[in-house]
Amino acid sequence: MSREELLALVSVQAKTIEALTRRVEELERRLAADSSTSSRPPSSDAPWAKKPAKNRSSRVRSGRKPGKQPGAGSSSRSLVDDPDERLEIQPDRCGSCDASLDGAEECGRQRRQVVDIQPVPPPKVTEYQRVSKVCPCCGKVTTAGWDDAAVPAPHAEVVAAAGSPVRIGPETLARAALLTCAHFLPVGRARDLLAKLCAIDVSTGFLAGIRGRAARRLEKKFLHHMRALLATAPVLHADETPGRAAGSLAYVHVACTEYLTLMHVGDRTKDTIDAGGVLPEFTGVLVRDGYAGYEHLKAVHAWCGAHLLRDLRSISDADPEGQLWALAMATTLLDANQAAHQTRQQEADRLDPTALRTIHSRYRGALARGKTDNTGQTSALADKARTLITRFRHYEDMILRFATDLSVPFTNNEAERTCRPVKIQQRTSGGCWRTLAGLVDFAIVQSYLDTATKWGLDKLDALRELFTTGAWLPPALTPAE
């Protein structure tokens, strides 16, 4: 083999080794990624591989120690003045000389009370008898209707419905829905709890259908009312999360505010996003992640800062020395968020112009440093960094919306918290919903319960109202209105 051929072979081998080295580095970077450096949910992190919270959190320390703060008040259960039963514990003989204390003068009394539940009473059975009478004049038989005014309002709809002569009342319906819909229990466990805590035995089929019964009642007025309210909100949060149903992947979409929640189900296309009935005509500020399916909407867009910080961290953690721009950009965003928060506390409606110019200057300076550091680099990490730099350059207004408009939050956590029950229910349901209709019903009922909770309503009270007089409807965008 000639010298030239040997040099060519060495050159090829060197390039192959270099390519393999870059490939290994990229695979190691992907393997090290978790929910703090990617869009993966926290539930996907392996328990044995979780990092300490201080390394995963983008929040800054408050300076306070964990737990109860010095000077904070405490509370405990208070004694009641009218207990159901009083028992006296009296000494019989003197503890010193063993003399009898019968008739001795009382000099003190201490009280302690034990609060406990009583055995569950049997269910109350109310029988309604429909009476038929013969007219003494014409002989015609007249029978009262099951929907007669004599039937109390809470039982009116239950009694009037067609079917078995024995039916389950609205209180049981509400408690069954509380277990399966509000606490995400499987129907078998919900049946056991209902029997033990309420002394009523129902079938698993009854419990399996309770969410559908609730959803049908909510479809009448609640969904339309929520769409109308949300469309007028000044700031709206939107997100989507996957859920497995009927052996395939579907998506639960959410549009929400601090006090309102509306979910619907479909695929991930823009047509499905529009099918929710809120976003197509929405013209306020829409806080979202970077998913391109929202780009067709005419709303003013704001990019979630938490997603951007995870993207920056994935770059910085992979090469702390070579990707200093990512750390600089993350610091800029966090400092801007802190400045916005302090300005809101001062009840001002906008940042100081000088502070805002400083934020923009630091933002663009970080991008310039990133462009310089990654010019001529051929690694996969450099490609990802350049893509991220381009995103930050093109969407500067959208990314810094929280700083230019103080009514806009820094993150989309409102929507992400609202989506979390989808994962909880999926885990308790064996990893999936058996039917797509079941997932649709879940989204409808969860919209109702989450909205009621945001308004401070008890879930059981909201379900009682649903199964008696009809769904509770939020009267406005916020309680203050």
Side-chain angles (χ1 to χ4, degrees):
M1 180 180 294
S2 65
R3 177 181 176 82
E4 290 76 10
E5 291 175 337
L6 182 60
L7 291 174
L9 179 61
V10 170
S11 176
V12 170
Q13 290 177 340
K15 290 180 179 179
T16 301
I17 293 173
E18 183 181 358
L20 290 174
T21 301
R22 289 199 300 268
R23 178 62 174 167
V24 169
E25 290 175 350
E26 174 63 15
L27 292 175
E28 288 179 342
R29 184 187 67 81
R30 294 183 185 181
L31 186 63
D34 59 14
S35 61
S36 69
T37 57
S38 69
S39 59
R40 285 157 41 180
S43 58
S44 67
D45 294 343
W48 58 85
K50 283 185 179 292
K51 299 177 183 178
K54 64 180 181 180
N55 292 333
R56 300 179 66 236
S57 177
S58 299
R59 296 178 295 177
V60 295
R61 289 186 177 274
S62 65
R64 299 183 300 178
K65 294 182 178 180
K68 182 181 176 182
Q69 301 302 309
S74 60
S75 62
S76 61
R77 188 181 292 273
S78 301
L79 293 168
V80 299
D81 296 329
D82 55 343
D84 298 304
E85 184 180 10
R86 283 190 175 94
L87 300 176
E88 291 186 347
I89 308 173
Q90 299 188 15
D92 296 329
R93 308 191 70 81
C94 176
S96 177
C97 66
D98 199 37
S100 174
L101 295 178
D102 186 25
E105 180 183 357
E106 181 180 329
C107 64
R109 184 179 289 252
Q110 294 180 337
R111 300 169 63 201
R112 290 189 179 182
Q113 295 178 349
V114 176
V115 181
D116 204 352
I117 59 174
Q118 299 180 1
V120 182
K124 179 182 178 181
V125 179
T126 303
E127 179 174 294
Y128 295 93
Q129 298 180 354
R130 188 168 68 166
V131 179
S132 300
K133 291 187 176 181
V134 180
C135 177
C137 296
C138 64
K140 184 177 179 180
V141 176
T142 301
T143 303
W146 288 119
D147 56 352
D148 192 89
V151 181
H155 288 180
E157 189 171 341
V158 176
V159 172
S164 168
V166 178
R167 54 273 321 274
I168 301 298
E171 182 65 25
T172 303
L173 292 171
R175 297 193 183 199
L178 181 73
L179 295 176
T180 58
C181 303
H183 294 288
F184 317 111
L185 291 181
V187 294
R189 291 171 60 187
R191 180 190 179 189
D192 291 343
L193 273 178
L194 205 60
K196 295 294 186 298
L197 300 180
C198 302
I200 186 168
D201 187 23
V202 297
S203 67
T204 53
F206 167 83
L207 284 164
I210 195 67
R211 181 178 282 117
R213 295 177 68 165
R216 301 294 78 76
R217 299 179 70 89
L218 290 168
E219 287 173 340
K220 297 177 181 178
K221 292 182 180 179
F222 177 77
L223 296 183
H224 176 75
H225 180 75
M226 292 293 293
R227 293 185 186 111
L229 274 181
L230 285 167
T232 64
V235 178
L236 201 61
H237 296 261
D239 199 7
E240 74 290 330
T241 189
R244 297 199 63 83
S248 61
L249 195 64
Y251 283 86
V252 178
H253 296 260
V254 61
C256 65
T257 67
E258 184 182 358
Y259 293 101
L260 305 173
T261 294
L262 185 62
M263 295 180 172
H264 72 283
V265 177
D267 52 25
R268 214 181 177 205
T269 63
K270 65 179 184 180
D271 292 336
T272 296
I273 292 174
D274 292 346
V278 175
L279 298 182
E281 303 302 323
F282 178 70
T283 56
V285 178
L286 181 66
V287 184
R288 62 175 182 86
D289 57 21
Y291 177 50
Y294 298 104
E295 291 181 352
H296 69 287
L297 300 172
K298 55 187 177 184
V300 179
H301 295 252
W303 203 309
C304 171
H307 284 79
L308 296 168
L309 290 177
R310 287 198 292 266
D311 292 335
L312 291 168
R313 175 168 287 172
S314 69
I315 297 292
S316 178
D317 287 356
D319 186 4
E321 299 298 328
Q323 301 292 343
L324 287 174
W325 76 273
L327 180 60
M329 179 61 78
T331 303
T332 298
L333 294 179
L334 290 172
D335 289 348
N337 179 42
Q338 183 67 19
H341 181 67
Q342 292 174 350
T343 304
R344 291 190 199 98
Q345 288 182 329
Q346 298 168 1
E347 299 184 352
D349 59 354
R350 63 188 64 188
L351 281 175
D352 178 74
T354 302
L356 194 56
R357 284 195 297 270
T358 301
I359 292 170
H360 282 281
S361 177
R362 291 174 59 188
Y363 183 99
R364 293 164 187 169
L367 293 181
R369 174 63 184 268
K371 181 179 180 182
T372 300
D373 289 348
N374 288 281
T375 298
Q377 301 295 322
T378 59
S379 66
L381 181 63
D383 289 340
K384 183 178 179 180
R386 284 190 287 267
T387 299
L388 194 57
I389 291 168
T390 301
R391 180 194 304 168
F392 272 88
R393 182 181 296 113
H394 287 174
Y395 298 101
E396 179 177 342
D397 291 342
M398 181 176 168
I399 291 171
L400 292 179
R401 188 80 62 198
F402 72 94
T404 56
D405 182 354
L406 295 186
S407 67
V408 179
F410 178 59
T411 72
N412 196 29
N413 287 348
E414 185 68 48
E416 294 199 3
R417 285 193 300 267
T418 303
C419 285
R420 197 165 298 160
V422 177
K423 300 303 182 185
I424 298 173
Q425 181 68 72
Q426 184 167 286
R427 286 198 296 269
T428 62
S429 301
C432 67
W433 281 264
R434 296 185 65 183
T435 65
L436 183 60
L439 180 57
V440 171
D441 290 343
F442 169 83
I444 295 173
V445 179
Q446 184 61 30
S447 300
Y448 178 68
L449 293 175
D450 195 56
T451 300
T453 301
K454 288 178 175 180
W455 277 73
L457 273 68
D458 181 77
K459 291 181 180 179
L460 181 56
D461 290 340
L463 289 168
R464 283 195 186 106
E465 187 170 346
L466 174 64
F467 286 110
T468 52
T469 58
W472 166 83
L473 301 178
L477 284 171
T478 67
E481 294 183 10

